[in-house]
Amino acid sequence: QVQLVESGGGLVQPGGSLRLSCAVSGSIFRLYTMGWYRQAPGKQRELVAEITSRFTTNYTDSVKGRFTISRDNTQNTVYLQMNSLKPEDTAVYYCNFNRGFWGQGTQVTVSS
């Protein structure tokens, strides 16, 4: 059973920063692609960032230059560093394992 536990969400002002963490257990973590997705009310869940087992990354256009995904295979953890946050980034952020297994999500609210 794969388990994913997210942390780091919260309330931040526009222009601020947050770092999300996702700790993975129950798998050979280093072999699998990890991703961060987000979902705002009334909208479909969308890919934010993804990192493969080869450390290749990709990002949705709206976060390029602001967000950075990384992974630490010694800690079985994937991170999402979010800088220059905008109100449009407000959503529940979900960690994803192997493009098909979800964490519970963590709320990110960007508001003044």
Side-chain angles (χ1 to χ4, degrees):
Q1 187 80 209
V2 177
Q3 295 185 14
L4 303 91
V5 179
E6 300 108 324
S7 62
L11 175 65
V12 66
Q13 294 189 84
S17 297
L18 286 173
R19 189 177 78 156
L20 307 183
S21 299
C22 174
V24 180
S25 62
S27 77
I28 308 175
F29 173 81
R30 64 185 296 272
L31 301 181
Y32 295 95
T33 293
M34 298 295 303
W36 287 98
Y37 294 69
R38 66 186 180 188
Q39 188 167 24
K43 302 199 69 176
Q44 292 188 343
R45 193 170 298 183
E46 66 171 347
L47 175 69
V48 177
E50 192 174 56
I51 184 166
T52 72
S53 63
R54 301 287 300 271
F55 291 82
T56 299
T57 61
N58 62 275
Y59 301 88
T60 192
D61 286 344
S62 63
V63 309
K64 286 180 179 177
R66 300 188 297 122
F67 291 10
T68 303
I69 189 170
S70 61
R71 67 193 298 163
D72 184 346
N73 289 338
T74 69
Q75 298 292 318
N76 285 11
T77 301
V78 63
Y79 303 94
L80 185 68
Q81 178 67 46
M82 304 185 293
N83 299 326
S84 301
L85 282 160
K86 304 175 180 179
E88 307 90 89
D89 297 318
T90 296
V92 178
Y93 283 70
Y94 296 91
C95 184
N96 182 271
F97 171 85
N98 197 33
R99 296 168 173 157
F101 201 97
W102 302 99
Q104 291 298 304
T106 185
Q107 177 72 47
V108 172
T109 303
V110 185
S111 177
S112 58

